[in-house]
Amino acid sequence: MKRFDYKTIIGHELVCEKLQQAVKSGRTVSAYVLSGAAGIGKKTVCRAFTAALLCETPVNGNACGVCESCRLLAADSHPDCIHLLLPEDKKTIGVDLVRDVLIKEASIKPFTSGRKVFIVNDADTMTVQAQNALLKVLEEPPQYAVFILLSQNKEALLDTVLSRALKLQLLPLPLRLCEGYFKTEQDVDATRLAFVSRFCQGVLGRGKRMLGDDAYYDLYQSTVQQLASFHKSDAAFTDMQRFLTDQKEQVNDITDFMLLFLRDCLRMHTSGIEKMICIDHKTAVQQLSRALEPASFVRMMEAVIKYRERLQKNANFTAASLELMCVIQEEIHDKSSRNPL
């Protein structure tokens, strides 16, 4: 049986304690906004809170895990837990969906529990019309209804919606917690684990992807190797151009990795190894960092960001890629950019 309790959550103690205490004291409110980066644990916290809200016999604000309500929730078949998801073929949640899934269902009393919980995933993708429709029920919510809005970008929600909800922000976890979490993984290279703990930057879901998706990890390795070879090989320019063309569909991930590596090179000038993320490419970072001035890395990072923005606006891929390669080539091979040896 799935577990839906706070014991399964890594970090976020203050938020969990506040939610747990609300159920324990019976002082829950009608709407909550859980915000934070993708993969930071919003859904995990939400599940524990939802289980406690619907549980027949909660213990100290935590779901008992054995009652009929807990069993229904574990089986993903609880009639009083309503999910509103962003449609796969859409970029926004429209007003019709809000009316059909939230407003209509909110007018129907709970079937088996004392409460009815409505969970809105990707709440920040709701259109203004959809949010205004939700606002009507938030202004006069049924006594039994609890709305939980999960959001990566809280600022995309209307002030009027936010004013009627308790806002809880999930912050990135400290490195020690991430290292402790990923150390439990079996049969994984220690170097990769050390990198993943830093790469996730306090967001466990981000690290899980890097650890569990070998193609994603290989793309990171290839990107760093291509970029690091610029000051060593005359063929690096054409190799990188070919690499970008061959991996065109993953260009967003590639630019993320490029920024990661260049940022490490820049950090090496100010923070040394301590703040490095690409710990598995320490030598490459140190070599390139010693070779160039900090301003060169800033200009290359600006070029990568501009490149990504141009592609998002449907610029010609080949032309944009060549322009980026030229900037990197100039910064690395222009003697005026180099540190004196």
Side-chain angles (χ1 to χ4, degrees):
M1 182 181 292
K2 296 179 184 177
R3 290 186 64 186
F4 296 95
D5 58 53
Y6 297 105
K7 295 177 182 178
T8 64
I9 299 171
I10 308 297
H12 310 308
E13 292 88 355
L14 292 178
V15 170
C16 292
E17 183 180 341
K18 183 170 289 189
L19 294 174
Q20 199 169 352
Q21 185 61 33
V23 174
K24 182 179 178 180
S25 64
R27 295 178 180 176
T28 55
V29 297
S30 59
Y32 295 82
V33 173
L34 287 179
S35 58
I40 202 166
K42 296 185 297 295
K43 292 180 181 178
T44 306
V45 172
C46 179
R47 283 196 297 265
F49 184 43
T50 299
L53 287 170
L54 296 175
C55 181
E56 297 169 10
T57 55
V59 181
N60 292 323
N62 213 347
C64 71
V66 296
C67 70
E68 179 65 17
S69 180
C70 288
R71 289 198 293 270
L72 286 170
L73 196 64
D76 295 323
S77 58
H78 202 300
D80 297 322
C81 180
I82 312 298
H83 289 268
L84 175 57
L85 306 174
L86 175 66
E88 292 184 1
D89 59 339
K90 303 287 185 181
K91 293 184 178 180
T92 59
I93 295 174
V95 63
D96 291 337
L97 199 56
V98 168
R99 286 171 177 159
D100 291 341
V101 178
L102 298 183
I103 299 176
K104 183 179 178 180
E105 286 290 338
S107 65
I108 303 173
K109 292 183 178 180
F111 289 95
T112 63
S113 302
R115 291 188 179 95
K116 201 166 187 178
V117 179
F118 299 86
I119 302 170
V120 183
N121 288 281
D122 302 301
D124 44 67
T125 66
M126 286 190 291
T127 63
V128 171
Q129 293 83 356
Q131 292 188 55
N132 281 324
L134 173 62
L135 183 60
K136 293 179 180 179
V137 73
L138 292 182
E139 288 174 338
E140 296 183 15
Q143 188 175 2
Y144 50 77
V146 177
F147 296 87
I148 306 175
L149 311 184
L150 308 182
S151 171
Q152 293 183 44
N153 179 21
K154 183 179 62 177
E155 287 68 29
L157 295 173
L158 298 176
D159 290 340
T160 47
V161 171
L162 291 172
S163 68
R164 286 163 175 80
L166 178 62
K167 297 169 284 294
L168 299 171
Q169 178 84 28
L170 300 189
L171 300 175
L173 303 179
L175 178 60
R176 59 177 178 79
L177 283 182
C178 297
E179 289 176 334
Y181 177 82
F182 288 114
K183 277 181 181 178
T184 61
E185 297 291 334
Q186 302 295 322
D187 302 323
V188 179
D189 179 73
T191 302
R192 182 170 176 178
L193 286 177
F195 161 66
V196 167
S197 297
R198 291 168 178 259
F199 168 78
C200 75
Q201 294 178 284
V203 181
L204 293 181
R206 193 166 182 251
K208 288 178 182 178
R209 182 187 178 191
M210 182 59 78
L211 195 62
D213 187 340
D214 287 338
Y216 186 59
Y217 180 67
D218 290 342
L219 185 67
Y220 154 73
Q221 292 288 347
S222 298
T223 302
V224 171
Q225 288 163 7
Q226 291 282 346
L227 199 53
S229 68
F230 256 84
H231 74 299
K232 300 177 181 178
S233 170
D234 293 334
F237 185 100
T238 53
D239 288 346
M240 187 66 169
Q241 177 68 18
R242 189 180 304 111
F243 172 70
L244 288 173
T245 302
D246 291 344
Q247 309 295 333
K248 186 176 180 179
E249 298 303 317
Q250 284 76 45
V251 71
N252 284 334
D253 289 332
I254 290 173
T255 52
D256 283 343
F257 298 146
M258 292 176 76
L259 289 171
L260 199 68
F261 179 76
L262 293 172
R263 192 182 297 121
D264 266 4
C265 292
L266 181 60
R267 280 175 175 155
M268 186 60 65
H269 283 274
T270 57
S271 305
I273 296 175
E274 183 181 349
K275 299 293 184 180
M276 186 185 296
I277 292 176
C278 303
I279 197 70
D280 52 340
H281 289 280
K282 180 173 63 176
T283 300
V285 170
Q286 289 174 323
Q287 288 178 346
L288 192 56
S289 180
R290 284 196 294 263
L292 302 178
E293 295 284 355
S296 290
F297 296 112
V298 172
R299 287 191 288 267
M300 284 190 282
M301 290 168 65
E302 289 174 343
V304 173
I305 294 171
K306 179 182 177 182
Y307 170 66
R308 184 160 59 187
E309 290 174 346
R310 288 186 64 191
L311 293 182
Q312 290 171 348
K313 295 177 181 177
N314 298 316
N316 180 275
F317 183 85
T318 301
S321 299
L322 284 172
E323 182 178 321
L324 173 63
M325 295 302 99
C326 286
V327 172
I328 295 175
Q329 183 90 334
E330 282 184 15
E331 293 297 336
I332 290 180
H333 293 287
D334 184 354
K335 292 182 179 180
S336 64
S337 299
R338 292 182 164 272
N339 276 326
L341 296 177

